[in-house]
């Protein structure tokens, strides 16, 4: 497990079990296979390999299976939240969308594709994270979006201060 590093200058990586220790997503809603090159508070990269056995392919255009847009956005945000859930004090906390903006779909994703995701955290303050993520298939941009995500546990602590 790489996330216990004392230095934020060294990139961290997370396998599927370690990802689940950091975030609340589980099958069938966990859409990243690996998170790597994580610089907590700054950036993270992720991978998702889409096989024909994914639960959504048989129902999402049976004659032309492709990855639905909401799943592409989930891949992006699940990588994005690792930019701050990789901090020991935030591991395992729930997150909630506040805003999704500038969503763009550029490339059709089909069975057999491997999605590479790059996420950047622009700001994390008082339980609110702002940033963006983009994904690529074989070096070509597939999808991108800007996010505002809240950590309700942190917000609740701020509300109850005297």
């Amino acid at each position: 497990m790489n996330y216990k590093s004392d230095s934020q200058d060294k990139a961290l990586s997370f396998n599927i079990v370690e990802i689940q220790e950091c975030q609340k997503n589980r099958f069938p809603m966990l859409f990243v296979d690996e998170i790597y090159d994580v610089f907590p508070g700054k950036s993270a990269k992720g991978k998702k390999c889409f096989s024909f056995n994914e639960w959504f392919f048989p129902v999402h255009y049976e004659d032309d299976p492709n990855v639905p847009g909401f799943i592409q956005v989930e891949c992006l945000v699940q990588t994005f939240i690792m930019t701050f859930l990789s901090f020991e004090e935030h591991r395992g906390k729930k997150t909630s969308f506040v805003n999704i903006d500038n969503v763009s779909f550029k490339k059709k994703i089909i069975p057999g594709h491997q999605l590479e995701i790059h996420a950047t955290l622009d700001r994390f303050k008082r339980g609110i994270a702002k940033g963006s993520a983009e994904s690529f298939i074989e070096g070509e941009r597939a999808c991108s979006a800007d996010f505002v995500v809240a950590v309700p546990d942190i917000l609740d602590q701020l509300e109850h201060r005297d």
Side-chain angles (χ1 to χ4, degrees), residues 69 72-74 76-77 80 97-105 120 122 129-134 141 143-149:
Q72 294 181 49
V73 171
E74 274 294 322
L76 296 176
V77 79
F80 171 69
F97 279 118
V98 174
N99 189 38
I100 304 170
D101 206 3
N102 301 318
V103 178
S104 176
F105 301 99
T120 303
D122 297 329
K130 293 182 181 182
S132 60
E134 57 187 346
R141 185 179 300 216
C143 179
S144 60
D146 298 328
F147 300 107
V148 179
V149 175

Side-chain angles (χ1 to χ4, degrees), residues 27-42:
F27 178 83
M29 296 304 291
L30 180 58
F31 293 114
V32 288
D33 298 324
E34 177 187 4
I35 302 289
Y36 60 98
D37 285 351
V38 178
F39 294 93
K42 297 177 185 173

Side-chain angles (χ1 to χ4, degrees), residues 38-105:
V38 178
F39 294 93
K42 297 177 185 173
S43 63
K45 292 182 180 177
K47 285 184 187 172
K48 172 61 179 167
C49 299
F50 290 103
S51 76
F52 191 74
N53 295 326
E54 302 284 352
W55 60 267
F56 48 83
F57 281 136
V59 295
H60 196 254
Y61 307 122
E62 177 181 312
D63 59 337
D64 184 23
N66 63 83
V67 178
F70 85 92
I71 291 176
Q72 294 181 49
V73 171
E74 274 294 322
C75 291
L76 296 176
V77 79
Q78 288 178 21
T79 301
F80 171 69
I81 64 177
M82 290 298 288
T83 64
F84 57 90
L85 292 181
S86 55
F87 284 114
E88 188 70 30
E89 65 268 24
H90 301 314
R91 274 188 40 216
K93 294 194 182 297
K94 291 180 184 176
T95 57
S96 299
F97 279 118
V98 174
N99 189 38
I100 304 170
D101 206 3
N102 301 318
V103 178
S104 176
F105 301 99

Side-chain angles (χ1 to χ4, degrees), residues 133-159:
E134 57 187 346
S135 64
F136 302 88
I137 299 288
E138 298 175 353
E140 290 185 48
R141 185 179 300 216
C143 179
S144 60
D146 298 328
F147 300 107
V148 179
V149 175
V151 180
D153 287 350
I154 296 173
L155 294 175
D156 288 347
Q157 291 173 0
L158 295 173
E159 288 180 8

